[in-house]
Amino acid sequence: MDLNTRYIGPAGFDAVFNRIANLLPKLGISVMGSRLLAVRGRKSGEWRTTMVNLMVREAGERFLVAPRGHTQWVRNLRVAGGGELRLGRKVEAFTATEVADADKVPLLRLYLRKWGWEVGRFFEGVTKDATDEELAAIAPGFPVFRLN
């Protein structure tokens, strides 16, 4: 699998789960930092939404990680350069900068510590206890964005 184009699409029960998960932030319910990400479509220009886990480091830096790989929201965010994080009626506009593969190791480890129970299956056996080398090897398949 080419890590630069890696994408794991929804399968089986995922479609039902995604509908429910996307509804929670709309109702103002955050589960462990979840937000509704809204990004303009790169072709249509229309708002597209999906639930994401907003990762906040101790220093207050905020990141979005794409556990499924190079998804539509990732491609749209690359083109748009920003979007909105929504939780209930609260809407926060942001700009985003993609993190280089070489800088992803500590971010992927932190993401797996916080949400490995939820997204571990997308990491195909790599866990929070993986070596730096193992995390560096998979980094190209997991886009990460720093929010500004």
Side-chain angles (χ1 to χ4, degrees):
M1 175 184 298
D2 181 2
L3 291 177
N4 293 311
T5 58
R6 177 188 164 278
Y7 170 65
I8 299 174
F13 185 68
D14 288 346
V16 173
F17 175 78
N18 288 345
R19 281 193 203 109
I20 294 167
N22 285 335
L23 180 62
L24 294 176
K26 288 180 185 177
L27 297 173
I29 301 168
S30 175
V31 178
M32 295 194 63
S34 64
R35 298 289 188 278
L36 193 65
L37 170 67
V39 180
R40 295 251 183 215
R42 62 192 180 282
K43 295 178 184 176
S44 70
E46 296 177 17
W47 286 106
R48 304 291 184 202
T49 60
T50 192
M51 200 272 301
V52 293
N53 293 317
L54 177 62
M55 184 171 69
V56 182
R57 287 176 55 173
E58 289 179 15
E61 298 170 296
R62 300 176 322 144
F63 298 88
L64 296 178
V65 176
R68 290 180 179 266
H70 299 269
T71 62
Q72 294 299 324
W73 75 257
V74 167
R75 295 173 190 170
N76 289 338
L77 188 54
R78 285 176 176 148
V79 171
E84 295 178 350
L85 290 176
R86 301 175 181 174
L87 184 60
R89 294 181 181 175
K90 182 181 177 190
V91 176
E92 175 193 354
F94 68 87
T95 57
T97 306
E98 193 159 3
V99 175
D101 290 341
D103 299 326
K104 290 180 186 176
V105 169
L107 300 171
L108 292 175
R109 187 177 312 285
L110 179 60
Y111 190 79
L112 284 166
R113 276 193 190 116
K114 291 187 176 198
W115 293 286
W117 59 272
E118 176 188 352
V119 299
R121 65 189 174 117
F122 304 125
F123 282 80
E124 299 158 341
V126 176
T127 70
K128 63 180 171 46
D129 299 320
T131 65
D132 287 353
E133 292 75 22
E134 289 171 319
L135 289 170
I138 66 164
F142 295 86
V144 178
F145 294 88
R146 177 187 316 268
L147 305 187
N148 308 308

